[in-house]
Amino acid sequence: MMLQANIDSAVRDLSNEMHRQLSAVVDSHSRRFSHSPSEWEVVEVICGWMARFDEEIRLHGERTALHTVTLGRSVGLAVDELVSLHHAAILHDIGKLALPKGIYRKEGPVTGDEYALIECHPRYGARILQGIPFLQSPATWIAHHHERWDGYGYPYGLRNHFIPLASRILAVADTFDALSSEGPFGCSHSLEVALSIMEVLAGSQLDPTLVEIFASQMKRELNGQERCQPCKEGHRWRETAFS
């Protein structure tokens, strides 16, 4: 209970600090340019703020955002929906910043109490972002990105189409990056192995239709028919991602 209270306090402190930094940036931008920063500029400020705490969370968010937008376009989402989906993806793990690094980066098995806290990070992320008008929908999708198709996910135990479509898309992209990337959050599997694992997870953890669409897209990349790589220097790929 004491650890939970400490984390609740950390969520409030993180949210307050982020909003203070955003307010300072908005004020400075408005004085220099006579208008408020764009949504993209606000998201970039938040990403920079996240990187001060954990650079890998930011990089994981950028990679996940690329795959999320690609899948979102494949299922026919409009450009404005893709932009909101991008924002949700790039910020989806912001709630982990409220957890002690010793928990979410623990190499060995986690205890039951530790896992219970990890399960709360989608809700923490939504709370940190609340109050930013254009991030209201992304915050909701972030809150549900660890729900499972079979209803055994967290934090609310929603199942199949009761889970928002954007959250299901985000779950597919998040899982793929976790399986295929190197680093503390990745398993470093090859693209073929990662897709094989995802096909096993289809219908239990992941929306089976979205996995099929995503796998087809990635296999085309693997065969050299298409290629799109995330950029580790911010959002430079976004001009082509939303064209």
Side-chain angles (χ1 to χ4, degrees):
M1 292 297 292
M2 181 63 70
L3 181 55
Q4 180 65 63
N6 290 340
I7 292 177
D8 287 340
S9 177
V11 171
R12 289 192 298 272
D13 291 344
L14 283 168
S15 181
N16 290 337
E17 180 185 341
M18 186 191 72
H19 283 279
R20 282 195 298 270
Q21 180 169 337
L22 285 177
S23 294
V25 169
V26 169
D27 290 344
S28 175
H29 191 283
S30 298
R31 286 195 299 271
R32 292 177 60 195
F33 302 108
S34 300
H35 62 83
S36 298
S38 68
E39 293 181 3
W40 285 99
E41 290 167 325
V42 170
V43 170
E44 288 184 0
V45 170
I46 297 174
C47 288
W49 174 80
M50 288 169 58
R52 287 175 35 221
F53 293 90
D54 196 310
E55 174 70 0
E56 183 53 38
I57 284 180
R58 181 184 68 84
L59 293 175
H60 168 58
E62 290 187 353
R63 295 190 301 268
T64 301
L66 178 62
H67 300 310
T68 299
V69 171
T70 299
L71 180 54
R73 183 189 291 107
S74 296
V75 301
L77 296 187
V79 172
D80 59 337
E81 295 173 309
L82 292 175
V83 171
S84 292
L85 189 57
H86 163 273
H87 296 341
I90 206 165
L91 303 174
H92 76 278
D93 270 346
I94 193 171
K96 285 185 176 179
L97 302 182
L99 304 176
K101 280 190 177 181
I103 291 179
Y104 75 81
R105 281 203 171 186
K106 191 173 183 179
E107 294 184 1
V110 297
T111 67
D113 288 342
E114 289 171 339
Y115 190 73
L117 291 175
I118 292 172
E119 286 184 331
C120 292
H121 83 267
R123 290 194 293 109
Y124 296 153
R127 284 172 54 188
I128 290 170
L129 296 173
Q130 67 185 8
I132 303 176
F134 74 89
L135 292 179
Q136 294 306 295
S137 291
T140 298
W141 302 336
I142 287 170
H144 296 297
H145 79 274
H146 274 295
E147 307 287 359
R148 289 173 53 112
W149 184 253
D150 59 12
Y152 289 97
Y154 59 85
Y156 302 109
L158 302 183
R159 66 191 305 268
N160 54 59
H161 292 98
F162 288 103
I163 306 167
L165 173 61
S167 299
R168 286 181 272 136
I169 292 173
L170 179 52
V172 170
D174 184 27
T175 301
F176 177 75
D177 188 65
L179 290 170
S180 62
S181 296
E182 300 178 355
F185 298 122
C187 298
S188 302
H189 292 307
S190 68
L191 188 148
E192 299 97 320
V193 171
L195 291 179
S196 295
I197 294 172
M198 291 181 67
E199 287 167 353
V200 172
L201 298 175
S204 55
Q205 178 176 329
L206 302 171
D207 181 327
T209 301
L210 293 179
V211 169
E212 181 180 1
I213 294 170
F214 183 78
S216 296
Q217 176 76 25
M218 297 307 294
K219 287 173 182 176
R220 286 196 295 271
E221 289 193 10
L222 182 65
N223 293 330
Q225 298 173 22
E226 299 176 20
R227 194 64 186 167
C228 187
Q229 289 287 353
C231 176
K232 292 190 176 182
E233 300 178 9
H235 309 297
R236 293 185 184 176
W237 51 269
R238 74 183 184 214
E239 288 79 7
T240 55
F242 296 96
S243 61

